[in-house]
Amino acid sequence: MSGGARERLPAAAARVPAECGPGGGHGRPGASPAGFAARGNGGARDRSDLSPGQVTGLLADLGRTLGLRYGAGERDLERAGREPGRIVVPVRFHVVTDGKAGRLARSAVRRQVATLNAAYGGERGGADTGVSFRLEKYGVRDNARWFRAPQRHERAMKEALSGGGAGTLNLYSAAVGSDVLGFSTFPHWYRRSPKVDGVVIDYRSLPGGPYRHFDLGYTAVHEIGHWLGLFHTFENGCESPGDGVDDTPYEAEPAEACPSGRDTCDQPGSDPLHNFMNYGWDDCMHEFTPGQGRRIRAAWAAYRAPGGESERAHRGRSGARSVAGAR
C-alpha cells in the first residue's frame, strides 16, 4: 500500500452535484503499483498490497536506518536522548482544479490544517503524537488532467508542484474519486524517489465537504499517518507482525461504518475501531495511540529529520524511479 486509500462511498454518502462528480475509473482498488491502501466506508472492500513480508521488510529497514544513524533502535531512541522533540511539519498545500471545480479557499485549507493539529495533538481524545502542522504555502493550479486523474498523472503533477525537502509535507487536493479518497507515500521510499513524496486527497473530504460521514477532514489525517510511517491497524489481519505497533491490537479486517465492541483476533485487546489508521466513518475516528506516536517520531528521525540520507537524496537524486503507489 502506498499509504492509504479510502474505498468506495455508498451512493447515499456522496452529496455531490453531478457536474462536480469525480472522473470515472481512477482509483480502482487493487489497480495501483506497490503501496496501495484504502479506508473503508461500507462500499466494496479493497485489498492491502503489503504482505506480512513487506511490512516486516519496512520495519527492518526502519531499524537498520536508525541503527546506522543513531546507534539505537526504535525503542531505545528516547532512552539514548536521540528521539526528536516536538515535530513541526511545514505544509505546502496544492489545490489542483479544473476551472472552478475543486477550487478550495485558503480558509478551507486552514480548517484542514487545524483538524490535523487537533488529531495529532490528542485533542480528539487520543494520544498526543508530538507532531503539529504549519501551513507554509497555499497555491492553486488549474489543470483538468491532473484534477480528474491524479493517480494517472501523479508524477507529472508532483514534479511540477512539489517543494521543500524530506520534512516538508506536499499535500495535494484533486478529484481522487469515490472509489478511493486519497493516497500517500511512505517515508521509507523518499530516498529512492523524493519528487513523488507526498499525500493526495479528494477535495470533497475536507472539513465541511459534501461526502457524508467523510466530511471531517480525517482522510488527510489517515493518509498523512502513512506519510509519517504508520500502517493500517488491520495490517496483515491476525498475523504477525500486524502493523508493528504494540498498543494497537490485532484486527482481522478493517472497520466499516461505525461498529462497536468488536474483537476479531485471538490476541489480547479489542479491535481499535476508533483509530485514525482504521477504516470507517470520520464520525467514529478520534485517536492515535502512544505507540503510534513513538513510531511516527522514530520514522521521522530515520527518514525525515535534517541531515540524513533522505535529505541528501532530495539534493542529488530527484530523478530516481518512483515507487509510490496510487490509491
Side-chain angles (χ1 to χ4, degrees):
M1 46 169 135
S2 97
R6 299 178 64 165
E7 62 190 274
R8 182 182 313 153
L9 291 169
R15 301 197 306 267
V16 187
E19 65 271 22
C20 296
H26 57 275
R28 180 173 60 84
S32 62
F36 187 88
R39 292 189 57 190
N41 48 32
R45 184 159 299 291
D46 82 342
R47 58 187 176 82
S48 168
D49 284 342
L50 285 185
S51 68
Q54 288 172 311
V55 173
T56 299
L58 291 175
L59 293 173
D61 185 81
L62 173 61
R64 284 193 300 270
T65 305
L66 289 171
L68 289 170
R69 190 168 182 187
Y70 302 105
E74 179 179 347
R75 298 173 185 276
D76 303 320
L77 275 182
E78 186 173 11
R79 193 180 315 131
R82 307 309 299 268
E83 188 177 63
R86 185 149 203 98
I87 298 165
V88 180
V89 181
V91 179
R92 299 170 68 96
F93 201 111
H94 310 281
V95 179
V96 180
T97 71
D98 179 2
K100 292 183 179 179
R103 192 172 187 93
L104 298 172
R106 189 186 295 265
S107 59
V109 170
R110 285 177 175 152
R111 284 194 297 273
Q112 178 65 78
V113 173
T115 296
L116 298 177
N117 283 322
Y120 282 87
E123 295 178 25
R124 296 293 183 259
D128 181 353
T129 64
V131 179
S132 60
F133 301 84
R134 171 178 52 81
L135 183 61
E136 178 181 79
K137 180 180 179 180
Y138 161 87
V140 178
R141 175 65 68 92
D142 186 359
N143 187 304
R145 289 187 303 165
W146 297 354
F147 175 72
R148 297 292 173 183
Q151 292 162 265
R152 189 182 313 153
H153 301 289
E154 178 186 16
R155 175 172 285 278
M157 177 180 71
K158 289 180 172 180
E159 286 185 347
L161 300 180
S162 68
T168 296
L169 170 61
N170 282 276
L171 180 57
Y172 306 81
S173 64
V176 180
S178 55
D179 281 353
V180 170
L181 293 184
F183 54 99
S184 173
T185 58
F186 284 117
H188 314 65
W189 300 344
Y190 183 91
R191 59 181 175 251
R192 286 192 284 172
S193 199
K195 278 293 188 179
V196 297
D197 186 64
V199 171
V200 185
I201 59 172
D202 195 284
Y203 72 98
R204 292 156 291 197
S205 70
L206 269 71
Y211 278 162
R212 185 158 54 93
H213 296 306
F214 298 90
D215 55 2
L216 299 181
Y218 292 166
T219 292
V221 172
H222 178 99
E223 299 311 325
I224 291 166
H226 292 306
W227 185 82
L228 289 167
L230 298 179
F231 304 125
H232 291 133
T233 55
F234 53 83
E235 205 70 62
N236 303 313
C238 302
E239 301 298 319
S240 179
D243 68 348
V245 176
D246 290 342
D247 58 4
T248 56
Y250 283 83
E251 183 178 23
E253 59 188 17
E256 292 185 3
C258 196
S260 62
R262 198 178 71 165
D263 187 359
T264 55
C265 292
D266 291 337
Q267 294 95 333
S270 298
D271 292 1
L273 300 173
H274 304 295
N275 197 283
F276 286 116
M277 300 312 296
N278 208 327
Y279 288 178
W281 291 345
D282 280 9
D283 321 40
C284 293
M285 304 173 103
H286 57 73
E287 64 184 7
F288 289 109
T289 67
Q292 286 175 313
R294 195 159 43 247
R295 166 64 50 73
I296 286 171
R297 295 189 297 275
W300 186 273
Y303 303 113
R304 298 202 182 277
E309 182 179 353
S310 292
E311 187 177 79
R312 292 193 293 274
H314 174 73
R315 292 197 299 265
R317 298 185 59 198
S318 61
R321 178 178 62 86
S322 170
V323 293
R327 311 177 350 69

